[in-house]
Amino acid sequence: MMKYDLQLVRLNWESEDHTGRAYMDGLTFQPLLLERLAGLGIIEPKNGMLTWEEAERVQKILRIRQSLGVNLSGAAIIIDLMERLEVLEDEINRRRNL
């Protein structure tokens, strides 16, 4: 079984457009995997870069794939639902504290 690691490196960027982004080829994910995720609309690379949130999302998808044995689309749906649930829980907590 293959294990994937996420390596994030922060660099000083020359352009504002690159703030908070990581070069895809600098990450330890397989390029084919990132291409498939982009094709499915799960990530949206810009100039060969991902946002830190997208890189973390890829890591979560790989963890869910490995632990639950679901395909990429299934893992992406699970992540999306988890993120929506988190937003709803935050909204509930915010309303309770009013």
Side-chain angles (χ1 to χ4, degrees):
M1 183 176 295
M2 297 187 80
K3 183 177 179 180
Y4 298 93
D5 294 317
L6 173 65
Q7 178 183 10
L8 300 176
V9 178
R10 290 193 183 260
L11 303 172
N12 293 328
W13 303 105
E14 296 178 13
S15 169
E16 287 291 320
D17 293 339
H18 296 153
T19 303
R21 292 190 170 268
Y23 282 104
M24 288 178 12
D25 55 356
L27 300 173
T28 58
F29 303 125
Q30 293 184 2
L32 181 60
L33 171 71
L34 296 175
E35 289 176 21
R36 287 183 62 203
L37 291 173
L40 293 169
I42 297 168
I43 59 173
E44 296 178 9
K46 185 176 181 182
N47 298 324
M49 302 176 83
L50 295 177
T51 64
W52 299 108
E53 292 81 16
E54 287 175 320
E56 290 173 356
R57 193 167 211 237
V58 172
Q59 183 66 36
K60 288 178 188 177
I61 287 170
L62 292 176
R63 253 192 321 243
I64 286 175
R65 253 186 102 187
Q66 183 178 15
S67 62
L68 300 179
V70 297
N71 62 21
L72 285 177
S73 298
I77 290 169
I78 291 169
I79 292 296
D80 186 52
L81 291 173
M82 289 172 59
E83 289 171 353
R84 289 181 187 194
L85 181 61
E86 189 175 314
V87 168
L88 290 173
E89 287 175 341
D90 290 345
E91 179 66 19
I92 289 170
N93 289 334
R94 188 186 64 76
R95 289 180 183 223
R96 281 185 184 159
N97 293 329
L98 288 181

